Amino acid sequence: MKLIFRSIFFFFILIFSSGKIMSQSTTVILKDNWRFSKAVKGDAFAADYDASKWEKVSVPHDWAIYGPFDKEWDKQVSAIEQNGEKIPTEKTGRTGSLPHIGTGWYRNTFSLPEFKKGKKALLIFEGAMSEPQVFLNGKKIGEWGYGYSYFYIDITKDLKEGSKNVLAVKLTNLPFSSRWYPGAGLYRNVSIVVKEEDNFVQWGTFITTPEMKGDDAVVDVKAEVNGNNLSMVTEIKDANNATVATQKGTETKDGKLHQTLSVAKPHLWSPETPYLYTAVTKLYAADGTLKDEQKIKFGIRFIKYEANKGFSLNGKITKFKGVCLHHDLGPLGAAINKAALRRQLTILKDMGCNAIRSSHNMPSFEQLELADEMGFMFLAESFDEWAKPKVENGYHRFFEEYAEKDIVNLVRATRNHPCIVMWSSGNEVPDQWGAEGVKRARWLQDIFHREDPTRPVTVGMDQVKATMESGFGALLDIPGLNYRVHLYEEAYKTFPQGFILGSETASTVSSRGIYKFPVVQAKNKQYDDFQSSSYDLEACSWSNVPDEDFVLQDDKPWVIGEFVWTGFDYLGEPTPYDEKWPSRSSYFGISDLAGLPKDRFYLYRSRWNTKDETLHILPHWNWKGREGEVTPVFVYTNYDSAELFVNGKSMGIQKKNNSTPQNRYRLMWNDVKYEPGTVKVVAFDSNGKIAAESEIKTAGDPYKIVLEADRQTIKADGEDISFVTVSLVDKNGIPCPTAVNELQFKVIGAATYRAACNGDATSLEIFHENKMKLFSGKLVVLVKAVKNPGAIQLEVTGKGLQKGKINLKSEL
């Protein structure tokens, strides 16, 4: 396998399982009955410690998202090397301006009737921010360094059988430890798995397919086990739960079991057809006693990377139409929530996105499960730092001790997901310079290959010249370029792999619904209101506008795709306003922090979504005081030509052309002068016939509140969320895109008010308070289910406005 990875021609062909394992073993999720405090002055691990006055919380939990915003939380004086800065300056919103710094304690008292003598128990953490120290019944039983890593601790010897146990977790977030908002607390699930002593090793089962034989796929199952004289029986079931393959009687050898099965005429997994099978593996003792059982969803798919051709999925050349995502969920912070993740992916699916890069850390299990189910390819990333620091208290402190352990846990816990098509061992690491960095890159890549010899490894490189000279880029399975569009050709000729991945692209900045004049392409542009123009022509010194990437993706077959920075705005890193308070979240997103699409969404959609029509006009048409002034109109559409009308008068026909990257992908009327009324666009098909029409109108004064839910029926599980978009219209029902009214929210019935977000990167309003101002005429309210089903009503009110009401419901 090593020879394959070193060659210029990469061939990876496999079938992967989906990763979610429902075992014969008992899994207890420690969700409720937690107590939390950030006020403890000493230690709070003793079994008899009195935590009765601590705050009651449920896990996943992010202690910092509740605010308040304050520039003092993590004020930094630094030069951001990635931004090309040489002189240190004060940065006030880099990590979101939320109170994540400090030490927090969690305690949970639980009984575990499932645990008896002769059983085995594992305590599993899916994410603990940061540097967790874990205590059980007053005894320290383990610790970890990386706040993004999954890890588990064998607690068999320390559990009390038949009585209550006390779990205590100490978490410490140091200042200057992150480049974005990391969150704080037990932000992903904590669980206990109780097994027999003879069992499947945690994260020890790996399903691949090395080949097709005729019309049949060969499924290869390797399972590590604890115990001797064990055998395994495997059944493969299709999506209708019908058994399509069976293998019996494999014996253990060196603690491992190995089987091959054949699936006839398999349904192939892809973003278009995310078909999943289920492998049921059962572990038996020599006397026939069932010891353990796993149910593993998996998908059949084939991946291939070829020099000068690119990436193919199931034999079809496929470009990555991907986005990068940080782990925070806007107003929910880092606390994982599957409804919020599903909403994000639904929005991205509509845009035509087919791939996700977890930036710059391990993805959540829930995100990978949804990517399997909904059809997204995945680039699973590990680190933002290696041995050389970017920030004072970053991952470099743990690299030597933890890097291998962190990669092992990442790969073993997630390698069975069909969505994952490559790994990333790092992002813009300072180790790109020098021989030591080359050695580290090879060492990390070799660990990935050892744990998973079937997928390639990349690194997001921003110092492309340095990696050309040192050999760093040449040794990678997939050379990933972050920006540096001017170096693509040179990199392609220099690196031996025969293809280039845009591992991070664009970093265009914009604020939803905000437009600046005159309309010019610019870099590092700043304005007095700390917003960026939504004409999508502004970028950073080191980045570019989307059209420049589109040209490379369309014209160069050896460019295998892109991952845009970013799919959604995220907390922290408010470039180009790192030094401007109160900016506290990013401007890079294709959609804003509330998940509301910016104009740029429709630019990507017009190119990526090849099935649905896109015809989007910008800017809005409410410009009191700009009468007679030049107000350019852009149209983002999948049609090649269109005619624009202002109050019935033609502004002419525009047709896409190759004169500039913008003219190739946008229709632009740059000389339109503003007059109130109606702007209408008529698009033409390839035969010159009218194919579609769209229009926008000047609005009057705000009159009525309008509510629209992403889902009107949610699950009564205490976790599910309906995301309700709130906007204003005038008396004629025309949207009011400049409204900034303050609104109040009230939820009645089988749900609670969870949070609101308006997407304004400068807003200091607290997400969980039941009032907020609109930004560019919109905001989003989160309505969270309780555990009892029933009717739900959200009521939104504002001074001088007709109230808005929407009826929802929750079901078991």
Side-chain angles (χ1 to χ4, degrees):
M1 238 7 218
K2 197 172 280 188
L3 290 176
I4 293 176
F5 278 112
R6 294 292 178 266
S7 66
I8 295 176
F9 174 85
F10 298 100
F11 187 94
F12 303 89
I13 185 168
L14 60 159
I15 294 178
F16 283 93
S17 67
S18 113
K20 186 171 184 181
I21 298 176
M22 295 168 287
S23 176
Q24 180 78 3
S25 313
T26 301
T27 299
V28 178
I29 297 176
L30 299 180
K31 173 177 172 54
D32 299 317
N33 304 314
W34 288 93
R35 294 279 183 167
F36 166 75
S37 176
K38 201 186 170 191
V40 175
K41 301 302 181 184
D43 288 324
F45 59 81
D48 59 356
Y49 186 94
D50 183 8
S52 61
K53 295 183 179 179
W54 288 12
E55 180 185 359
K56 293 181 179 180
V57 300
S58 61
V59 169
H61 177 248
D62 179 353
W63 82 58
I65 194 60
Y66 299 96
F69 293 102
D70 191 323
K71 68 178 182 178
E72 300 298 326
W73 287 125
D74 195 18
K75 186 165 63 178
Q76 303 181 19
V77 178
S78 62
I80 302 176
E81 193 172 307
Q82 289 71 36
N83 293 4
E85 296 178 2
K86 304 295 183 184
I87 301 173
T89 56
E90 182 179 280
K91 310 295 193 298
T92 55
R94 200 176 182 199
T95 54
S97 303
L98 287 163
H100 72 281
I101 304 300
T103 297
W105 279 91
Y106 291 83
R107 289 174 61 91
N108 194 314
T109 301
F110 64 93
S111 57
L112 204 63
E114 297 85 357
F115 181 74
K116 295 178 174 60
K117 188 175 182 180
K119 297 271 190 177
K120 185 182 184 72
L122 304 176
L123 175 63
I124 301 172
F125 291 86
E126 296 177 20
M129 192 64 68
S130 187
E131 303 183 42
Q133 297 181 48
V134 185
F135 305 85
L136 187 61
N137 299 320
K139 175 185 176 183
K140 186 174 182 178
I141 58 171
E143 63 183 358
W144 208 264
Y146 197 27
Y148 292 106
S149 190
Y150 341 112
F151 66 97
Y152 62 88
I153 303 168
D154 188 335
I155 58 173
T156 305
K157 296 179 180 178
D158 299 300
L159 267 179
K160 293 180 180 179
E161 182 184 349
S163 62
K164 291 191 174 183
N165 293 269
V166 179
L167 174 64
V169 184
K170 181 182 182 181
L171 298 172
T172 304
N173 278 353
L174 297 177
F176 319 127
S177 60
S178 181
R179 298 193 300 118
W180 56 84
Y181 176 68
L186 296 174
Y187 67 101
R188 293 178 182 167
N189 285 331
V190 179
S191 59
I192 298 175
V193 176
V194 179
K195 304 184 176 190
E196 300 286 342
E197 286 188 340
D198 294 338
N199 59 63
F200 288 111
V201 170
Q202 185 71 20
W203 305 333
T205 300
F206 191 19
I207 300 179
T208 65
T209 293
E211 61 181 335
M212 287 288 291
K213 288 187 175 180
D215 292 333
D216 297 349
V218 179
V219 180
D220 185 274
V221 182
K222 292 183 175 70
E224 297 178 43
V225 296
N226 293 310
N228 299 308
N229 301 316
L230 301 170
S231 63
M232 180 170 70
V233 174
T234 300
E235 283 185 300
I236 295 178
K237 298 179 179 291
D238 66 13
N240 296 316
N241 205 36
T243 300
V244 295
T246 304
Q247 176 69 48
K248 298 180 179 180
T250 306
E251 303 294 329
T252 48
K253 183 178 181 181
D254 299 324
K256 296 180 180 178
L257 294 157
H258 185 195
Q259 291 181 340
T260 56
L261 301 89
S262 182
V263 175
K265 298 180 179 179
H267 299 277
L268 300 185
W269 185 96
S270 72
E272 296 75 26
T273 58
Y275 191 95
L276 296 174
Y277 291 86
T278 302
V280 182
T281 59
K282 296 181 179 181
L283 189 66
Y284 291 94
D287 63 0
T289 303
L290 178 64
K291 290 294 185 178
D292 206 351
E293 180 179 342
Q294 299 176 122
K295 293 181 180 179
I296 309 171
K297 288 185 177 181
F298 72 94
I300 299 173
R301 56 94 170 123
F302 306 90
I303 60 174
K304 188 176 182 180
Y305 294 82
E306 295 181 273
N308 306 315
K309 291 184 180 180
F311 169 75
S312 63
L313 176 66
N314 302 329
K316 179 182 177 182
I317 296 295
T318 302
K319 294 272 191 177
F320 293 108
K321 299 182 291 186
V323 300
C324 301
L325 292 180
H326 268 314
H327 71 303
D328 81 67
L329 294 169
L332 296 175
I336 202 68
N337 180 277
K338 203 163 185 177
L341 288 170
R342 187 183 294 276
R343 174 180 180 248
Q344 280 193 340
L345 295 182
T346 300
I347 292 167
L348 292 173
K349 199 76 172 178
D350 178 60
M351 188 174 69
C353 174
N354 68 6
I356 307 294
R357 175 191 180 212
S358 63
S359 310
H360 303 289
N361 44 261
M362 290 75 169
S364 68
F365 295 160
E366 291 88 346
Q367 189 178 38
L368 293 175
E369 290 163 12
L370 286 170
D372 287 342
E373 296 169 12
M374 298 177 69
F376 288 88
M377 297 178 289
F378 218 95
L379 195 174
E381 195 155 84
S382 50
F383 310 122
D384 189 52
E385 271 187 15
W386 292 351
K388 292 185 177 181
K390 288 184 183 179
V391 290
E392 181 181 328
N393 291 313
Y395 185 74
H396 67 275
R397 296 181 298 128
F398 308 118
F399 182 80
E400 294 297 335
E401 179 182 357
Y402 279 96
E404 181 170 6
K405 292 188 285 188
D406 284 329
I407 290 175
V408 167
N409 283 2
L410 166 64
V411 176
R412 292 191 180 185
T414 68
R415 61 187 171 181
N416 289 328
H417 286 274
C419 63
I420 298 177
V421 295
M422 72 179 89
W423 306 106
S424 170
S425 62
N427 170 71
E428 297 182 0
V429 293
D431 313 66
Q432 288 168 91
W433 288 275
E436 285 300 313
V438 176
K439 291 178 183 178
R440 290 183 190 117
R442 186 180 299 278
W443 176 64
L444 294 170
Q445 184 165 272
D446 285 346
I447 297 170
F448 275 106
H449 290 172
R450 183 193 73 206
E451 297 299 319
D452 175 13
T454 63
R455 291 183 182 90
V457 180
T458 190
V459 170
M461 301 181 294
D462 64 330
Q463 302 302 318
V464 180
K465 286 284 191 180
T467 65
M468 290 179 188
E469 296 169 3
S470 68
F472 185 109
L475 72 86
L476 299 172
D477 298 331
I478 297 177
L481 268 60
N482 285 9
Y483 316 105
R484 310 305 187 263
V485 291
H486 62 288
L487 293 176
Y488 268 53
E489 290 277 2
E490 185 179 354
Y492 169 61
K493 293 174 182 177
T494 302
F495 294 143
Q497 295 90 340
F499 49 77
I500 297 292
L501 171 69
S503 47
E504 194 168 310
T505 64
S507 273
T508 305
V509 292
S510 64
S511 302
R512 178 183 55 79
I514 301 296
Y515 306 91
K516 301 296 185 179
F517 305 98
V519 177
V520 293
Q521 191 165 343
K523 293 199 173 184
N524 294 334
K525 187 71 174 173
Q526 295 187 356
Y527 303 94
D528 291 342
D529 60 359
F530 304 159
Q531 303 293 350
S532 295
S533 179
S534 200
Y535 274 105
D536 301 322
L537 290 172
E538 296 177 3
C540 308
S541 60
W542 37 267
S543 64
N544 53 272
V545 295
D547 321 72
E548 295 173 45
D549 291 305
F550 293 169
V551 171
L552 289 166
Q553 300 298 325
D554 288 346
D555 293 355
K556 309 296 182 183
W558 43 267
V559 178
I560 66 174
E562 66 172 317
F563 289 87
V564 181
W565 192 263
T566 52
F568 294 84
D569 280 336
Y570 54 93
L571 291 161
E573 233 176 6
T575 310
Y577 296 107
D578 303 272
E579 304 163 11
K580 306 291 186 181
W581 180 252
S583 295
R584 47 70 172 160
S585 59
S586 78
Y587 300 78
F588 299 118
I590 296 172
S591 293
D592 70 15
L593 195 70
L596 296 170
K598 302 179 186 178
D599 292 294
R600 199 162 4 118
F601 175 92
Y602 300 96
L603 179 60
Y604 282 97
R605 190 181 193 271
S606 70
R607 181 174 173 273
W608 283 1
N609 184 338
T610 58
K611 293 183 178 180
D612 300 315
E613 176 186 285
T614 298
L615 189 59
H616 176 75
I617 304 170
L618 65 134
H620 61 70
W621 211 239
N622 288 254
W623 297 107
K624 188 175 182 179
R626 284 190 58 82
E627 289 80 3
E629 294 188 42
V630 173
T631 306
V633 175
F634 290 5
V635 170
Y636 297 157
T637 180
N638 54 323
Y639 296 105
D640 286 334
S641 63
E643 185 172 8
L644 186 74
F645 298 87
V646 177
N647 293 328
K649 181 181 178 181
S650 176
M651 299 291 108
I653 295 174
Q654 292 289 338
K655 185 175 177 63
K656 293 177 184 176
N657 61 73
N658 293 334
S659 60
T660 68
Q662 281 71 49
N663 286 107
R664 183 170 173 178
Y665 298 102
R666 316 178 190 206
L667 298 176
M668 300 180 290
W669 289 262
N670 289 313
D671 298 324
V672 176
K673 292 183 178 179
Y674 175 67
E675 58 181 66
T678 300
V679 175
K680 179 179 178 180
V681 64
V682 177
F684 305 106
D685 64 19
S686 57
N687 296 317
K689 295 182 178 180
I690 294 176
E693 298 181 2
S694 182
E695 65 181 25
I696 57 174
K697 295 183 178 182
T698 305
D701 293 334
Y703 173 73
K704 179 182 179 181
I705 299 170
V706 176
L707 309 182
E708 182 180 1
D710 71 328
R711 291 179 304 139
Q712 290 192 283
T713 301
I714 55 179
K715 190 174 181 181
D717 59 0
E719 291 297 317
D720 205 1
I721 294 174
S722 177
F723 292 79
V724 182
T725 299
V726 181
S727 58
L728 299 186
V729 296
D730 67 10
K731 289 185 176 182
N732 296 314
I734 299 171
C736 301
T738 62
V740 292
N741 304 60
E742 182 176 86
L743 304 179
Q744 292 79 40
F745 322 116
K746 183 179 181 181
V747 176
I748 303 168
T752 60
Y753 168 75
R754 176 61 183 84
C757 185
N758 61 15
D760 180 2
T762 70
S763 172
L764 301 183
E765 296 168 286
I766 304 302
F767 296 128
H768 67 279
E769 291 187 355
N770 64 342
K771 62 179 181 178
M772 184 169 285
K773 291 180 180 178
L774 294 160
F775 177 66
S776 294
K778 291 184 178 182
L779 57 76
V780 174
V781 172
L782 285 65
V783 178
K784 186 177 180 180
V786 297
K787 292 184 178 180
N788 299 317
I792 304 165
Q793 185 179 85
L794 168 64
E795 181 180 280
V796 181
T797 57
K799 186 176 180 180
L801 297 169
Q802 188 179 109
K803 72 172 63 173
K805 289 184 179 180
I806 189 169
N807 293 316
L808 312 170
K809 65 178 179 179
S810 65
E811 298 177 344
L812 292 174

